[in-house]
Amino acid sequence: MICQMDKPSIKLGAMKKLLTFFAFFLLIPLAVPVSAQNAGTAASAHPEATKAGFEILQAGGSASDAAMAMMLALTVVEPQSSGIGGGGFLLHHDGKSGWMDTIDGREMAPAAAASDRFLGEDGKPLGWRDAAPGGKSVGIPGNMRLMEMAHKKWGKLPWEKLFEPAIKLAEQGYAVSPPQYDWMKRLEKLWVKFPDMQKLYWRNGAPAPRGTIIKNPELGQLLRELQAGGADAFYTGKTAAAITAAVASAPQNPSVLTEQDFANYNAILRQPVCSTYREYRICGMGPPSSGATTVLQILGTIEKFDMGELYSNEPARAWHVISEAMRLAYADREKYLADQDFVSVPVAGLIDKGYLAKRAQMVALQRARPQFPGIETYPAGNPPGAAPRTAAISSEVAGTTHFTAVDSEGNIANMTSTVEGPFGSQLLARGMVLNNELTDFTFAPEKNGAPVANRVQAGKRPLSSMSPTIVYDAQGKPILALGSAGGKRIIMHVTKALIGVLDYGLPLDEAMALPNIYFGGSGLLIENGSELVKLQDDLAKMGHIVVTNNLPSKLAGAQRTDKGWIGAVDPRSTGEAVSELP
């Protein structure tokens, strides 16, 4: 057996080298008997979470078991991004049957949530900084019901076993990572209003420095109660009461959650959204996620172009084509995507090959679409089956995390999890960070007198860009599993990695390292310090208004190779991947 630490492909800074060195010794498997097949692969945005997942795989756990152990561990060590106080989406591939399922563990708006929830006294939408902190933004968390469903369907180890790594981290402590410290510094002034956050995460009147050991015994006790009592111990009794109390007594935007809100919450088993791209089949999460639909729209729009040849000979032209398809797909996203249990979402029409062929005609190889005053440069289309709809921009900031596990039987668990913004609502309940997921709704409930699809409604789940993705080859075998953090940019981080592997022939880690792009206003945003900066003039000559920007990402995933499944993580993150090969 070979245990491989799967490393990023570009040079890391001194701090990350130190973390990687430390993580290497933590993650080398002990002398534990394993089967003739490889124990599996685990990849996440934090070394301690990856370690937790891999330990579960070595103990004979399934991919789902490993993913749930990582979700719990990340609750402790990456509180700025995800945890049991939030929600997520899980893709699961069954290695024996080849069947794929998806679980929607997205947070839900309480009964008290009305469409004017995020309007000010003047009737205008609040600013995000005014709406997100405090109780008004907190949705009913979904991750524990998601975990419950996943364990019932695909778990091999006892439920209690999956909690052990997270409990150890909470009670014995973990080291503050560079990303966690950076976010605490950015929130330093805001936390003057949130003393509970200061008490847990500050030392000597300031954010705990990198490397500081944080212990969270209150969270450890909560995890022990969930370990013994199952998901019901989260949605009933003192945990639900503690969340309700934290929201009601929030120092900013106090609000109401009820016992019935928690009783009404269920994880939902949904059909995946799948389509072909060249000889591959790509599957992801359906609404309330916009991820799969928008990723598949971008890919379907560029499919007529030979992207590999373009990238080899005219890289600026390749990025131009991707950017044009991006803008068109996001226009459809803003108009049509929302919680499908409340709004008719024309998913089949949006990814229809004929419709995308028409959209592709709007992409000129030589030049960006022209801009004229008062005319939408990248308009939403009219996909088959779409009802009249009002387009409106939704709010979503760059938080979140992703993790992937593959076990020895070929099962894949691929999950994106979030508390939305950094440290969610800035509220704690029993040591866990509570989400601010309701700010992913569109704040304005109507536009031009017509209702907005993603408006706030009681019991509704807000639109998300989380994009967990699994790719199958022409023989129907899975070859890739990946996802990312990054708010609305998640879709683009995943898409460029898919193009890197499927069109450019890069290994997954190198595809993750490709530059990130996005858009803002009329500008094309390109990543500072990337190879795209050298192509800035070429892109400008094609009509793009180019703006350099920090576009961080946090991709994680795994790729099937001749040697077996190999994990990969974004070189921009402090994540790690471990793979044990035959």
Side-chain angles (χ1 to χ4, degrees):
M1 301 291 175
I2 298 173
C3 178
Q4 175 166 331
M5 290 290 298
D6 308 307
K7 299 296 184 186
S9 61
I10 65 174
K11 188 176 181 181
L12 307 177
M15 177 58 70
K16 186 166 180 185
K17 287 183 178 179
L18 180 62
L19 285 171
T20 303
F21 179 81
F22 179 65
F24 178 82
F25 288 98
L26 283 175
L27 291 165
I28 291 178
L30 303 176
V32 178
V34 295
S35 66
Q37 294 177 295
N38 59 309
T41 295
S44 82
H46 197 289
E48 291 287 4
T50 300
K51 179 185 177 185
F54 195 70
E55 285 178 351
I56 293 298
L57 289 172
Q58 284 194 303
S62 65
S64 176
D65 288 336
M68 294 306 99
M70 286 193 279
M71 184 274 289
L72 294 170
L74 287 163
T75 303
V76 182
V77 301
E78 203 184 33
Q80 73 275 13
S81 297
S82 72
I84 59 175
F89 296 124
L90 172 68
L91 307 187
H92 184 273
H93 167 84
D94 187 279
K96 292 182 179 179
S97 68
W99 188 259
M100 181 178 166
D101 288 296
T102 74
I103 300 178
D104 171 2
R106 183 68 162 158
E107 299 88 339
M108 184 182 76
S115 60
D116 62 353
R117 190 175 185 86
F118 296 114
L119 298 182
E121 293 181 359
D122 59 359
K124 296 180 180 179
L126 295 171
W128 190 89
R129 293 179 182 274
D130 295 321
K136 191 176 290 188
S137 65
V138 179
I140 305 300
N143 271 342
M144 287 309 302
R145 286 295 184 210
L146 181 154
M147 179 177 175
E148 176 184 58
M149 181 180 285
H151 188 257
K152 286 179 179 178
K153 292 180 68 65
W154 307 301
K156 289 177 64 178
L157 295 180
W159 169 270
E160 296 80 7
K161 179 72 174 175
L162 309 186
F163 287 80
E164 291 178 0
I167 291 172
K168 182 179 179 181
L169 289 165
E171 295 180 345
Q172 298 185 15
Y174 70 95
V176 172
S177 67
Q180 182 179 347
Y181 173 74
D182 291 346
W183 278 118
M184 290 192 297
K185 283 293 292 181
R186 294 187 201 185
L187 295 167
E188 187 170 3
K189 292 182 180 179
L190 177 61
W191 279 8
V192 171
K193 300 179 182 179
F194 294 89
D196 289 346
M197 300 296 279
Q198 293 182 24
K199 183 178 178 181
L200 181 57
Y201 294 116
W202 280 19
R203 297 293 182 270
N204 301 317
R210 300 173 185 180
T212 302
I213 301 301
I214 299 288
K215 296 182 180 181
N216 193 341
E218 189 174 14
L219 178 57
Q221 179 59 35
L222 169 58
L223 291 170
R224 287 189 179 279
E225 292 175 18
L226 299 176
Q227 182 185 43
D232 284 348
F234 187 95
Y235 293 91
T236 61
K238 64 181 181 180
T239 300
I243 297 172
T244 297
V247 168
S249 62
Q252 189 170 332
N253 294 324
S255 190
V256 177
L257 300 181
T258 68
E259 180 180 322
Q260 192 60 45
D261 289 326
F262 285 90
N264 289 342
Y265 187 86
N266 288 296
I268 301 173
L269 192 68
R270 296 194 186 274
Q271 288 290 326
V273 171
C274 302
S275 188
T276 58
Y277 177 64
R278 309 199 194 282
E279 69 266 34
Y280 306 100
R281 185 167 180 80
I282 300 175
C283 295
M285 193 76 209
S289 171
S290 63
T293 305
T294 312
V295 168
L296 291 169
Q297 277 201 291
I298 297 169
L299 295 176
T301 303
I302 69 172
E303 192 166 11
K304 73 173 186 177
F305 299 96
D306 188 335
M307 297 303 298
E309 182 180 356
L310 278 178
Y311 186 70
S312 296
N313 299 318
E314 297 182 275
R317 196 82 59 194
W319 287 109
H320 156 72
V321 168
I322 294 169
S323 70
E324 294 288 276
M326 167 185 69
R327 297 291 295 267
L328 292 169
Y330 271 85
D332 277 355
R333 176 195 182 275
E334 300 295 353
K335 185 169 184 177
Y336 294 109
L337 272 293
D339 184 348
Q340 63 185 338
D341 294 336
F342 282 72
V343 177
S344 175
V345 182
V347 172
L350 288 166
I351 61 175
D352 177 79
K353 292 293 186 180
Y355 172 68
L356 293 177
K358 293 179 181 177
R359 296 291 273 173
Q361 293 174 6
M362 300 173 70
V363 178
L365 186 58
Q366 301 302 322
R367 189 162 181 84
R369 291 183 60 77
Q371 299 185 35
F372 301 104
I375 298 176
E376 177 57 59
T377 304
Y378 299 92
N382 295 294
R389 190 67 56 77
T390 302
I393 303 298
S394 62
S395 172
E396 194 171 355
V397 299
T400 314
T401 200
H402 184 85
F403 41 97
T404 301
V406 185
D407 64 28
S408 62
E409 297 179 356
N411 301 308
I412 303 168
N414 196 46
M415 182 171 175
T416 309
S417 177
T418 186
V419 290
E420 217 274 329
F423 288 96
S425 63
Q426 319 305 311
L427 297 179
L428 285 171
R430 305 200 67 193
M432 66 177 154
V433 171
L434 299 180
N435 70 84
N436 67 296
E437 216 62 62
L438 300 189
T439 55
D440 277 355
F441 285 115
T442 303
F443 288 7
E446 60 180 46
K447 183 177 180 180
N448 299 327
V452 171
N454 189 44
R455 66 189 182 278
V456 182
Q457 291 176 270
K460 192 175 184 179
R461 301 174 190 222
L463 182 63
S464 171
S465 294
M466 291 189 285
S467 306
T469 303
I470 295 178
V471 180
Y472 297 85
D473 66 12
Q475 288 72 47
K477 295 181 179 179
I479 59 170
L480 283 176
L482 72 158
S484 184
K488 288 186 182 180
R489 298 197 318 270
I490 290 173
I491 292 163
M492 281 310 302
H493 300 331
V494 170
T495 301
K496 65 98 189 229
L498 291 172
I499 294 169
V501 175
L502 306 181
D503 284 315
Y504 304 162
L506 299 174
L508 182 56
D509 61 339
E510 293 183 22
M512 289 176 173
L514 287 169
N516 288 327
I517 66 169
Y518 193 55
F519 61 95
S522 58
L524 172 63
L525 308 183
I526 63 173
E527 185 178 9
N528 271 331
S530 73
E531 65 187 54
L532 269 174
V533 175
K534 299 177 182 178
L535 303 175
Q536 191 169 350
D537 290 344
D538 292 334
L539 290 166
K541 290 176 182 177
M542 292 181 222
H544 292 283
I545 300 171
V546 183
V547 180
T548 59
N549 206 322
N550 292 323
L551 298 173
S553 54
K554 205 164 60 174
L555 287 145
Q559 180 177 23
R560 183 165 59 86
T561 71
D562 292 340
K563 297 179 181 180
W565 282 90
I566 302 293
V569 293
D570 198 316
R572 303 165 184 84
S573 79
T574 55
E576 295 288 352
V578 179
S579 305
E580 188 171 65
L581 306 175

